[in-house]
Amino acid sequence: MRSFIRHPSDIPIDVSPDNNPEGSPEMLINISHGGLSFRSQASLLPGTIVDLRVNMPNRDTRVRARVVWSRETDNGYDMGVEFMNSADLYTMRMVEQVCHIEHYRRKVRLEQGRELDAEQAAMEWISKNASDFPNPD
């Protein structure tokens, strides 16, 4: 079984190191049991504490994390962070599900021409995908 499912890559996150409160928009790659990875144009040193913000339709979600690795790629840097506590992991997994549902809602509109409200999209997505969403145990 997979330890993560791919996060919809069209949903950005803001990453703000403690020494740069402005933050920068980055693209989330995935969320795993203890952290997440994202693509960035700038590298951060392992050990750097960052604030992560996901801009959600009804509210922003923020958690803190620690950079644990950084790899240079042809398109910038892929970086991994670990969550500071289990509550932040739970929060980000809920955000991940909401992002998947919103992505599904847009996909249905574009591909099928059906307009779903948030609840309808959630019910359809859950019935089709919940069994593939890994348990964080």
Side-chain angles (χ1 to χ4, degrees):
M1 175 174 245
R2 294 174 289 184
S3 62
F4 61 85
I5 65 176
R6 291 284 175 195
H7 191 87
S9 61
D10 59 348
I11 299 176
I13 61 172
D14 285 329
V15 177
S16 302
D18 278 347
N19 61 358
N20 180 9
E22 289 293 312
S24 60
E26 312 297 355
M27 296 308 285
L28 188 58
I29 298 172
N30 68 59
I31 297 176
S32 65
H33 288 293
L36 61 81
S37 63
F38 62 93
R39 182 151 298 131
S40 175
Q41 293 305 305
S43 179
L44 295 171
L45 293 173
T48 302
I49 304 299
V50 296
D51 288 316
L52 304 173
R53 182 175 59 90
V54 179
N55 193 359
M56 302 298 296
N58 296 324
R59 66 186 173 101
D60 286 350
T61 299
R62 296 175 187 265
V63 299
R64 290 179 60 75
R66 178 181 300 111
V67 175
V68 292
W69 57 266
S70 175
R71 294 186 192 114
E72 189 170 7
T73 70
D74 292 339
N75 300 318
Y77 298 87
D78 286 354
M79 284 187 270
V81 298
E82 65 183 356
F83 298 119
M84 303 296 282
N85 58 58
S86 59
D88 287 344
L89 169 60
Y90 179 80
T91 297
M92 288 304 293
R93 288 187 56 78
M94 293 302 102
V95 165
E96 181 181 27
Q97 287 185 6
V98 169
C99 290
H100 277 286
I101 291 165
E102 187 60 29
H103 187 258
Y104 174 78
R105 185 178 177 189
R106 282 183 272 167
K107 182 179 175 183
V108 166
R109 183 177 53 239
L110 290 171
E111 294 178 0
Q112 301 174 17
R114 290 191 302 134
E115 288 291 335
L116 301 174
D117 64 26
E119 187 173 333
Q120 292 168 322
M123 295 302 287
E124 284 188 23
W125 185 88
I126 289 167
S127 71
K128 292 178 180 188
N129 299 291
S131 63
D132 291 333
F133 205 82
N135 189 339
D137 297 351

